[in-house]
């Protein structure tokens, strides 16, 4: 089916669910027959694929977690022989062994199609020129967006991350119309463009497709104002496919439509594993229903969100997930209060003098957790009298306490103090772990 044909995305729920069920059954039969991990996990739960007769029955199947992928490193979860695998990607592995994922030729075709559909949802057409600043390499962002843009028939500039000044010249001269990259790197691009005396107002961008890390609504407003484009949130993860698992539509820019003809989404209570109804916030769990090389069943993403089934003004019937507020493993517990970096971002970005560059430093002093929020402020403000700086620090600390219930020490720092992101931003330095 053509990517310009919206049939799959606007299908009545009943028809969509019947496709999901039949694809789910086929996937379960395949993983049971080809991946020893799933055979064993079904055996332990005392079920076989034939016990899954409805979408609701999915709940009977045990979860898959990141550790399972590590235990089967590198290729143990693949459901096809290596001769059928045409591409391998991997997570960075900063917190342990990298997670390795594989794709057959058909998987690459499916992924390209989903990324093309994502770009269309975000407002791109075959006439666009896509400046792709996601990193190319083992990270799925660069090549994922690249193949989708080509599939759409757009012209791709495979610029990747880094070499920022050169990127600005390319933006000025090649006149791209769609910008793709992580929000934190795009922010850095905007900063460097300003230093070079180039205004985004004079560039040709109409939309930006930003994701791969959490970013707040306030960051969206800031990016839209600075870059003079519509900023669209795109979500995905290597284990499920890469970018293009879900995306906001340009019409609503509210919630990310999940490509439900390829993935089944659930929300669970991360503590009990119990499935939660639509609207409730919890951990996102995905089952892939069309992948060949690396099918994955009930994968716990650790991402926190809620699902919204309400009809959307764009006409798509696929459920929307709220903007991801953070990951269960990124959540900071400061003296018993749970807080995500993106919530702190929302609070500090309400202040006009603050630059959207910040880092959270967590320590343990005398057995008590302490949180220091390092935030950049404009050069003018920084050169001002010390009293003004102290007042601002007090104000931000009291806002954080009021909105989030957590005590934090604010440290205002000069512009350029906090390291700029070339890909995903490092928001938290947790000295308790070292
Ligand atoms: O980040 C895939 C991707 C590339 C998505 C480009 C969007 C654009 P991983 O490196 O495996 O894959 O990291 C996946 O990043 O579980 C989330 O925690 C986080 N993440 C991805 N997109 C978003 C988003 C790519 N839009 C992990 N908002 C996921 C918040 C996001 N977090």
């Amino acid at each position: 089916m053509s990517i310009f044909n919206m049939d799959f995305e606007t299908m009545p729920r009943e028809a969509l669910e019947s496709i999901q069920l039949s694809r789910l059954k086929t996937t379960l039969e395949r993983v049971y027959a080809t991946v020893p991990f799933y055979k064993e996990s079904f055996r332990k739960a005392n079920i076989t694929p034939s016990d899954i007769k409805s979408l609701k029955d999915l709940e009977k199947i045990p979860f898959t977690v990141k550790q399972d992928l590590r235990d089967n490193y590198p290729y143990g979860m693949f459901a096809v022989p290596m001769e059928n695998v045409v591409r391998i990607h991997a997570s960075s592995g900063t917190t342990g062994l990298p997670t390795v994922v594989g794709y057959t030729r058909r998987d690459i075709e499916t992924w390209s199609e989903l990324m093309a559909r994502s770009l269309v949802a975000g407002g791109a057409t075959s006439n666009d020129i896509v400046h792709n600043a996601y990193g190319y390499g083992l990270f799925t962002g660069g090549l994922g967006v690249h193949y989708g843009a080509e599939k759409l028939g757009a012209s791709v500039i495979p610029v990747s991350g880094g070499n920022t000044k050169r990127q600005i010249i390319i933006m000025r001269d090649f006149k791209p119309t769609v910008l793709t990259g992580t929000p934190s790197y795009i922010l850095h691009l905007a900063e460097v463009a300003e230093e070079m005396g180039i205004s985004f107002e004079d560039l040709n961008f109409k939309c930006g497709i930003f994701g791969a890390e959490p970013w707040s609504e306030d960051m969206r407003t800031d990016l839209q104002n600075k870059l003079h484009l519509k900023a669209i949130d795109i979500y995905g993860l290597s284990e499920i496919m890469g970018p293009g698992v879900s995306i906001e539509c340009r019409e609503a820019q509210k919630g990310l439509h999940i490509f439900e003809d390829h993935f089944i989404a659930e929300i669970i209570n991360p503590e009990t594993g119990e499935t939660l109804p639509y609207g409730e916030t919890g951990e996102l769990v995905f089952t892939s229903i069309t992948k060949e090389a690396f099918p994955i069943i009930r994968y716990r993403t650790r991402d926190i969100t809620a699902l919204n089934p309400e009809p959307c003004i764009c006409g798509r019937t696929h459920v929307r997930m709220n903007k991801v507020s953070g990951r269960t493993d990124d959540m900071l517990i400061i003296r018993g209060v749970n807080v995500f970096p993106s919530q702190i971002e929302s609070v500090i970005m309400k202040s006009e003098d603050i630059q959207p560059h910040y880092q959270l430093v967590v320590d343990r002093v005398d057995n008590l957790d302490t949180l220091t929020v390092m935030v950049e402020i404009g050069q003018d403000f920084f050169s001002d009298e010390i009293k003004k700086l102290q007042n601002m620090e007090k104000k931000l600390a009291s806002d954080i306490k009021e909105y989030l219930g957590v005590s934090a020490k604010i440290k205002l720092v000069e512009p350029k103090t906090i390291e700029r992101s070339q890909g995903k931003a490092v928001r938290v330095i947790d000295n308790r772990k070292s």
Side-chain angles (χ1 to χ4, degrees):
M1 179 171 298
S2 155
I3 45 179
F4 303 106
N5 185 328
M6 289 274 287
D7 284 1
F8 270 120
E9 297 183 26
T10 54
M11 204 172 240
R13 294 294 306 175
E14 209 173 299
L16 177 66
E17 283 169 16
S18 129
I19 290 180
Q20 283 185 319
L21 183 60
S22 113
R23 289 180 171 181
L24 173 67
K25 284 181 174 170
T26 312
T27 300
L28 295 178
E29 295 288 352
R30 277 195 55 237
V31 297
Y32 190 75
T34 54
V35 184
F37 165 81
Y38 286 115
K39 186 160 204 160
E40 181 57 16
S41 131
F42 277 55
R43 190 193 62 73
K44 280 192 198 143
N46 210 9
I47 51 170
T48 66
S50 58
D51 292 318
I52 308 304
K53 297 192 170 64
S54 68
L55 291 176
K56 181 95 183 108
D57 286 341
L58 197 55
E59 287 173 26
K60 295 180 183 163
I61 306 176
F63 296 115
T64 306
V65 296
K66 197 159 188 106
Q67 189 58 41
D68 297 324
L69 309 188
R70 293 203 171 118
D71 293 346
N72 289 282
Y73 174 84
Y75 302 139
M77 299 292 275
F78 286 15
V80 296
M82 280 312 278
E83 65 191 65
N84 296 346
V85 173
V86 299
R87 174 94 66 81
I88 291 165
H89 280 283
S91 70
S92 60
T94 41
T95 54
L97 279 177
T99 305
V100 183
V101 297
Y103 305 76
T104 63
R105 199 172 294 287
R106 204 189 84 186
D107 290 334
I108 295 287
E109 190 51 36
T110 308
W111 186 16
S112 308
E113 184 140 328
L114 286 181
M115 253 323 301
R117 279 165 60 178
S118 302
L119 290 164
V120 169
T125 71
S126 58
N127 295 329
D128 279 305
I129 303 177
V130 180
H131 182 108
N132 186 17
Y134 284 114
Y136 281 63
L138 286 178
F139 174 54
T140 51
L143 284 168
V145 171
H146 183 107
Y147 272 60
E150 279 192 357
K151 179 88 187 166
L152 175 62
S155 320
V156 202
I157 308 173
V159 70
S160 191
N163 230 327
T164 308
K165 285 194 174 140
R166 193 170 126 229
Q167 297 220 14
I168 310 290
I169 303 296
I170 288 174
M171 285 178 180
R172 186 194 60 195
D173 297 348
F174 296 11
K175 305 195 178 350
T177 50
V178 175
L179 180 59
T180 57
T182 62
S184 59
Y185 182 60
I186 299 298
L187 200 58
H188 178 47
L189 267 175
E191 185 178 50
V192 175
E194 199 183 329
E195 283 165 14
M196 290 168 69
I198 293 175
S199 162
F200 268 79
E201 216 168 345
D202 301 326
L203 302 182
N204 297 60
F205 290 115
K206 63 175 187 191
C207 65
I209 301 201
F210 306 145
E213 62 186 2
W215 51 305
S216 62
E217 276 305 323
D218 302 84
M219 179 73 93
R220 188 209 301 272
T221 309
D222 191 61
L223 283 171
Q224 295 197 141
N225 292 340
K226 281 197 172 118
L227 303 173
H228 301 272
L229 47 68
K230 203 177 242 256
I232 301 285
D233 191 4
I234 182 167
Y235 167 91
L237 63 166
S238 337
E239 296 91 319
I240 304 306
M241 190 178 70
V245 172
S246 69
I247 188 159
E248 288 174 341
C249 57
R250 66 187 303 280
E251 293 83 356
Q253 267 182 307
K254 199 168 176 21
L256 295 86
H257 291 279
I258 295 171
F259 289 109
E260 288 186 284
D261 45 333
H262 293 269
F263 312 107
I264 299 177
E266 300 168 85
I267 297 288
I268 61 159
N269 174 329
E271 258 116 58
T272 62
E274 170 207 2
T275 310
L276 299 177
Y278 282 147
E280 284 195 27
T281 300
E283 180 180 348
L284 184 60
V285 169
F286 274 117
T287 299
S288 75
I289 50 174
T290 52
K291 286 208 302 176
E292 289 184 336
F294 189 84
I296 193 148
I297 311 298
R298 298 199 88 203
Y299 183 66
R300 290 186 62 159
T301 64
R302 308 189 202 181
D303 292 322
I304 302 295
T305 184
L307 298 179
N308 170 11
E310 279 160 31
C312 181
I313 50 167
C314 71
R316 287 180 180 79
T317 48
H318 292 188
V319 291
R320 283 177 278 173
M321 53 187 262
N322 291 349
K323 235 173 175 331
V324 170
S325 51
R327 298 170 54 82
T328 48
D329 45 1
D330 265 2
M331 189 178 74
L332 297 170
I333 306 179
I334 307 292
R335 301 190 196 178
V337 183
N338 300 350
V339 57
F340 288 110
S342 63
Q343 293 176 298
I344 302 223
E345 176 181 303
S346 283
V347 176
I348 57 181
M349 284 201 56
K350 300 224 183 314
S351 168
E352 275 181 11
D353 301 297
I354 293 293
Q355 304 291 308
H357 302 285
Y358 68 95
Q359 205 157 44
L360 313 181
V361 184
V362 187
D363 273 299
R364 181 159 290 148
V365 180
D366 297 335
N367 286 323
L368 277 183
D369 300 325
T370 61
L371 170 65
T372 307
V373 182
M374 311 236 298
V375 200
E376 287 186 12
I377 46 165
Q379 189 62 53
D380 295 352
F381 200 99
F382 204 80
S383 332
D384 266 333
E385 52 190 287
I386 191 95
K387 188 82 195 138
K388 206 168 153 195
L389 282 178
Q390 286 171 341
N391 285 344
M392 167 73 104
E393 287 180 345
K394 268 197 205 141
K395 160 100 178 60
L396 287 177
S398 106
D399 286 352
I400 289 176
K401 179 83 191 168
E402 184 183 331
Y403 288 113
L404 307 175
V406 62
S407 302
K409 182 170 181 296
I410 307 293
K411 200 166 162 200
L412 294 177
V413 294
E414 275 189 273
K416 306 279 169 56
T417 310
I418 291 165
E419 199 183 331
R420 296 297 182 255
S421 146
Q422 301 290 315
K424 300 194 190 217
V426 179
R427 297 294 188 201
V428 181
I429 299 174
D430 196 340
N431 293 324
R432 295 175 303 186
K433 290 178 182 158
S434 57

